Amino acid sequence: MTGPRTRTPQEVFADHGTRLGTGDLDLISRNYTEDAVFLTPDGVLTGREGVKEGIGRLLSDLPGADWQLAPRFAGDVLFLRWTAAGSAHEVLDGVDTFVFRDGLISAQTVRYTLTERTK
C-alpha cells in the first residue's frame, strides 16, 4: 500500500491560484503547513491562522483585482513577481518567495507597495 502522492511545487502553486480566486480564506490556508511562516511588510504571521490574516489583508486591499504573475521555480522554492490592479489601489512591485515542504507551502515572504490608482 502506498501513501498519498506528494504534490509538486508547480501543482501546489496552480491549486493555490485557483483557491485565491475563490476568496475563501479557509480553503486558501489548506495549501499551507500547520506551522507555516508568513512574512509580510507589517511583520511575521504564523500558522494557518496567520496565513489567513495576511492573505485576507491583501485581498481586502485589492478586491476584484486583475493579477499578473511571473513565477520562476528552483526546486522547492518559487520566486514570484506580480502586479495587481483593483478599482481603487494597485501594486506594481509585488514580489513573493514561497518555500514548499511535503506538498504544501511552509513559508512565504510577501513584499509590495500598495498605491492609489491614478487612472
Side-chain angles (χ1 to χ4, degrees):
M1 183 174 184
T2 61
R5 184 179 72 83
T6 299
R7 299 179 302 169
T8 67
Q10 291 86 346
E11 289 170 324
V12 178
F13 180 65
D15 184 51
H16 187 56
T18 300
R19 292 181 187 196
L20 281 172
T22 71
D24 182 335
L25 294 174
D26 286 323
L27 184 64
I28 293 164
S29 71
R30 291 183 201 151
N31 263 329
Y32 290 79
T33 61
E34 290 185 19
D35 61 349
V37 176
F38 194 81
L39 289 82
T40 74
D42 298 323
V44 179
L45 303 166
T46 57
R48 287 185 174 154
E49 290 302 313
V51 167
K52 286 168 37 176
E53 180 183 339
I55 292 175
R57 285 185 206 162
L58 180 60
L59 293 178
S60 69
D61 285 337
L62 293 160
D66 177 27
W67 300 80
Q68 301 297 318
L69 310 175
R72 295 181 64 195
F73 288 91
D76 288 339
V77 177
L78 164 63
F79 181 72
L80 177 68
R81 290 188 179 275
W82 57 274
T83 62
S87 58
H89 295 94
E90 65 185 353
V91 171
L92 301 175
D93 62 350
V95 177
D96 289 21
T97 303
F98 295 81
V99 178
F100 297 86
R101 182 181 80 216
D102 299 330
L104 294 170
I105 301 164
S106 65
Q108 181 178 353
T109 300
V110 180
R111 294 186 184 175
Y112 62 92
T113 306
L114 184 71
T115 57
E116 288 189 35
R117 286 199 71 178
T118 56
K119 298 177 188 178

